[in-house]
Amino acid sequence: MTLLALDAGNTNLTVGLFRGEHLEHLWRIATSHRRSSDEYGLDLIGLLRRWGLRLEEVQACAMASVVPSLNAVLVEACRRYFRCEPLVVGPELRGLPSSCYDDPRTLGADRLANAVAAWSRFRTDPRALAAGHIAVVDFGTATKLEVVSIAGEYLGGAIAPGIGISAGALYRHAARLPRVEILRPAQVLGRNNVNAIQSGLVFGFVGQVEGLLERVAAELGRAPFAVATGGYAGLIAGECPTIQEVDMSLTLTGIRLLWEWNRAA
Amino acid sequence: MLLAIDVGNTEITLGIFRGRELLQHWRVGTDRNRTADEYGLLFTLLLENSGYPPGQVEAVVICSVVPPLSPVLEAASATYFGHAPLLVGPGVRTGLVIRYENPREVGADRIVLAVAALEKYGAPCIVVDFSGTATVFDYISAGGEYLGGVIAPGVETAADALFQFASKLPRIELVRPKSVLGRNTVTSMQSGIIFGFAGQVDEIVRRLKAELGEAQVIATGEAAELITHETHTIQTTDPFLSLDGLRIIHERNRTPRARRTTGDREEGSQG
């Protein structure tokens, strides 16, 4: 079975092509509120063709979106170009963790997918079993944290400003600061403004996650097993002693799992 | 009396000193479009309302990180208080040895805070300045030298960016939630912003100390109150540290040449 999974975030539309459980391709397209279903459809077709795939190979589509204005656009693109009705991730699907969220309808589809994928992948992992809880940190436009128990209960989470948008806002507000490439500097102490900002971004965002996970551990009485995903996971997670795994395709995997558990029999 | 004016990217802090005593302080929003007359009038009214006749202001000292406002405030000072102000920048004696690659790159605000922290609290120390725009960490060595620091996005700037970019997220009040595990969008964001930000500060302070040695930590700035009691690494909060720094720099520049002290070792362009 070949599935096209779409994860529409505020910065990127991430596209995954699964053959069975295997993620064969992962593509990213910039999110734009102005693009039509035909434009997104053409992007998707173009990518498939470029990688030697035929449209007819796509048998199903599933999507998670946190951009309300894109929902209808992407559903239409799936109908028109792949001739299928996409599964849209939402709180009414089967297989979701039992939720402690006040109103599950307000929990972002990407957060749901992350929680589902992390629980499904790690609930039998000895490290996660010993910890009792699984935490997912998604380093995207926003840094998002979800905590799920081994028993499959969603306990809550956090949403914090992400590294990219925070850096952008810093440059806009502080007239005298230079734009920098987001890299780990050799030293924490910056002796010029470029290194000082790199240090603040990299180590500051390591601290953002460490600060949150430290408080989660204090509240639960035990440190959770922590897995990271999202665009900046590669840069930040390596500096975070509390993060044990990085899985760049976690959100897409969650979308695939929900599709499998909910596809019409 | 001395009028000290600290111009930040989001707020202007003003203080009036008699000798070393801070008699009164005010905060006003930074508005790049206001004219010298508007600022002059605003400052005059603030002073008058608190019972300090503007005619008693004997000197004005200014530090600004907003370059277009510097000439505006210089003109306001000259017209409304009758004094050309001392504007902290290259050529002004600060008594601080600066070990930055290019000392001109160090914002005047960072120099003013380092001067004040060194004089009031001693070295080694780390100054954490929570302006809403940026959080700036500066390390002053045991020998009293300014070594450099770290610049991170400020809590308000980063939170605003989050509200703007993430289309499904609401604008929220920045208060501490009961639990780190938010169970609705508002408490999730409060947790992420407040606890995430406290974590940023602790991580940077710990890493600076690991690299350079133990130091006392002094926090200042508009957003300090919101965050400092959530952090584990901040011992002292001094909201008007910049005003004290301006007063000290004013004193060091009052008597020309005649009174050089050992504190006047200079480095690079700050000399």
Side-chain angles (χ1 to χ4, degrees):
Chain A
M1 193 71 179
T2 305
L3 170 76
L4 192 70
L6 306 174
D7 167 22
N10 284 293
T11 312
N12 281 332
L13 169 66
T14 309
V15 183
L17 187 88
F18 283 97
R19 275 199 216 272
E21 291 188 6
H22 175 62
L23 178 64
E24 203 172 86
H25 293 281
L26 191 156
W27 300 293
R28 291 182 204 280
I29 302 171
T31 300
S32 163
H33 299 272
R34 295 204 194 95
R35 277 218 197 127
S36 67
S37 54
D38 286 325
E39 288 172 287
Y40 277 110
L42 279 183
D43 274 345
L44 294 171
I45 289 174
L47 285 169
L48 288 167
R49 289 217 175 110
R50 163 67 183 74
W51 295 92
L53 300 154
R54 285 175 299 113
L55 296 192
E56 304 76 58
E57 286 181 68
V58 174
Q59 291 160 294
C61 298
M63 58 179 267
S65 166
V66 294
V67 189
S69 61
L70 269 190
N71 294 0
V73 171
L74 292 176
V75 167
E76 179 57 28
C78 291
R79 284 179 188 153
R80 184 136 193 225
Y81 293 90
F82 301 103
R83 300 186 188 287
C84 64
E85 188 63 31
L87 176 93
V88 180
V89 172
E92 71 290 341
L93 296 184
R94 279 196 300 270
L96 292 175
S98 68
S99 181
C100 293
Y101 220 61
D102 293 344
D103 179 356
R105 283 170 302 176
T106 61
L107 184 59
D110 54 344
R111 301 179 67 191
L112 268 178
N114 282 341
V116 162
W119 178 75
S120 173
R121 185 177 161 196
F122 295 106
R123 74 199 154 101
T124 54
D125 187 300
R127 296 167 298 173
L129 284 170
H133 297 90
I134 301 165
V136 193
V137 184
D138 186 342
F139 294 96
T141 306
T143 303
K144 293 173 186 177
L145 167 77
E146 324 305 328
V147 177
V148 195
S149 71
I150 290 292
E153 195 184 13
Y154 179 84
L155 297 180
I159 305 171
I163 183 167
I165 58 165
S166 298
L170 178 64
Y171 308 139
R172 272 200 307 284
H173 285 86
R176 287 186 155 177
L177 295 179
R179 273 170 189 275
V180 306
E181 193 181 350
I182 303 176
L183 288 177
R184 185 196 194 284
Q187 289 186 313
V188 180
L189 182 85
R191 298 193 57 214
N192 57 58
N193 285 348
V194 170
N195 286 349
I197 294 169
Q198 287 174 330
S199 177
L201 291 175
V202 174
F203 300 122
F205 282 84
V206 167
Q208 183 185 63
V209 175
E210 292 292 305
L212 286 167
L213 288 175
E214 167 206 312
R215 285 165 177 85
V216 170
E219 225 166 274
L220 297 175
R222 224 171 351 156
F225 173 81
V227 52
T229 188
Y232 289 103
L235 178 68
I236 302 294
E239 293 288 329
C240 294
T242 49
I243 292 179
Q244 286 127 303
E245 282 275 350
V246 175
D247 180 345
M248 297 305 281
S249 55
L250 208 58
T251 316
L252 291 174
T253 302
I255 296 170
R256 176 183 63 79
L257 287 168
L258 286 168
W259 171 76
E260 260 176 29
W261 297 338
N262 289 274
R263 67 205 247 203
Chain B
M1 288 196 302
L2 169 72
L3 178 65
I5 304 173
D6 170 18
V7 183
N9 280 300
T10 32
E11 278 189 356
I12 300 175
T13 310
L14 299 101
I16 186 98
F17 285 94
R18 181 174 289 131
R20 297 179 142 212
E21 190 195 353
L22 179 63
L23 299 173
Q24 187 60 266
H25 54 81
W26 305 272
R27 287 191 201 276
V28 300
T30 301
D31 182 346
R32 286 158 178 78
N33 299 318
R34 270 198 202 139
T35 64
D37 285 323
E38 287 173 288
Y39 276 114
L41 190 63
L42 179 63
F43 298 165
T44 310
L45 288 173
L46 288 173
L47 285 165
E48 278 172 352
N49 275 335
S50 302
Y52 302 107
Q56 288 186 14
V57 172
E58 295 152 292
V60 180
V61 56
I62 299 174
C63 157
S64 167
V65 294
V66 186
L69 275 185
S70 302
V72 173
L73 293 177
E74 280 181 295
S77 170
T79 312
Y80 289 81
F81 300 102
H83 306 287
L86 175 70
L87 183 67
V88 179
V92 169
R93 231 184 299 158
T94 63
L96 191 68
V97 181
I98 296 168
R99 298 281 179 217
Y100 219 55
E101 282 172 14
N102 175 5
R104 279 175 190 270
E105 246 186 40
V106 187
D109 53 337
R110 299 171 73 181
I111 291 168
V112 168
L113 290 174
V115 164
L118 188 57
E119 172 109 352
K120 287 179 80 177
Y121 300 97
C125 65
I126 297 171
V127 183
V128 187
D129 181 16
F130 294 95
S131 82
T133 309
T135 309
V136 181
F137 304 72
D138 285 308
Y139 194 97
I140 297 129
S141 72
E145 295 180 337
Y146 174 92
L147 296 188
V150 176
I151 302 172
V155 62
E156 283 159 37
T157 306
D160 276 348
L162 181 62
F163 306 143
Q164 275 169 29
F165 271 78
S167 35
K168 272 193 173 173
L169 299 178
R171 197 162 267 275
I172 57 153
E173 194 189 353
L174 290 182
V175 293
R176 183 192 197 283
K178 284 198 203 89
S179 165
V180 63
L181 295 172
R183 290 182 177 186
N184 56 56
T185 307
V186 170
T187 53
S188 292
M189 291 174 73
Q190 286 169 337
S191 165
I193 294 170
I194 304 279
F195 298 133
F197 199 76
Q200 283 189 0
V201 173
D202 284 335
E203 184 78 21
I204 291 170
V205 169
R206 285 191 191 122
R207 285 185 187 244
L208 278 173
K209 286 183 179 177
E211 193 170 280
L212 301 159
E214 191 54 42
Q216 61 172 315
V217 184
I218 302 117
T220 188
E222 303 144 39
E225 275 180 39
L226 179 68
I227 298 298
T228 45
H229 28 267
E230 297 303 331
T231 63
H232 308 304
T233 53
I234 291 175
Q235 291 112 20
T236 310
T237 304
D238 186 339
F240 301 109
L241 194 62
S242 66
L243 297 179
D244 278 316
L246 284 168
R247 171 184 59 76
I248 294 162
I249 291 173
H250 162 74
E251 283 164 11
R252 288 181 183 165
N253 287 272
R254 203 164 33 180
T255 334
R257 294 296 147 204
R259 248 186 43 182
R260 279 189 81 89
T261 65
T262 49
D264 284 335
R265 289 170 298 150
E266 293 295 330
E267 175 87 354
S269 62
Q270 296 301 324

